[in-house]
Amino acid sequence: MERFFVKAASVNAVRRALDRAPGGACVIGRFDRETIECGHTMSAHSLHRHWPVLLSRLDKAGLRVVERPGPIALDPSEQG
């Protein structure tokens, strides 16, 4: 299962946006405080066809796809 991440305040907002969306997109759960982890089971051909539809649905809901958040440094002195 391929994964993508959505910046959203709640898991339910993403679920509503992806409800009955083409391509088998689903919400996996909260990745961190601001990011929701989602997945899809689309082949490359299907992804090419359905990805714009998924982005449009998320955009209409005021959400956006983001890169996977990196590791969080707990100590400020660790950030070089």
Side-chain angles (χ1 to χ4, degrees):
M1 176 179 283
E2 296 291 324
R3 300 185 192 273
F4 61 97
F5 299 88
V6 178
K7 185 137 184 139
S10 72
V11 171
N12 284 336
V14 180
R15 280 198 177 113
R16 281 192 300 270
L18 296 179
D19 184 41
R20 294 180 7 202
C26 64
V27 174
I28 295 171
R30 187 169 290 281
F31 183 76
D32 61 17
R33 187 175 191 101
E34 301 160 346
T35 312
I36 309 301
E37 185 175 5
C38 302
H40 67 81
T41 57
M42 294 180 265
S43 66
H45 175 73
S46 295
L47 182 63
H48 179 72
R49 290 182 57 215
H50 297 307
W51 188 247
V53 176
L54 294 177
L55 291 178
S56 173
R57 285 175 177 242
L58 291 169
D59 186 49
K60 287 178 185 176
L63 308 172
R64 62 186 171 97
V65 173
V66 295
E67 293 291 323
R68 179 184 174 152
I72 300 170
L74 299 177
D75 185 3
S77 64
E78 292 178 0
Q79 297 182 12

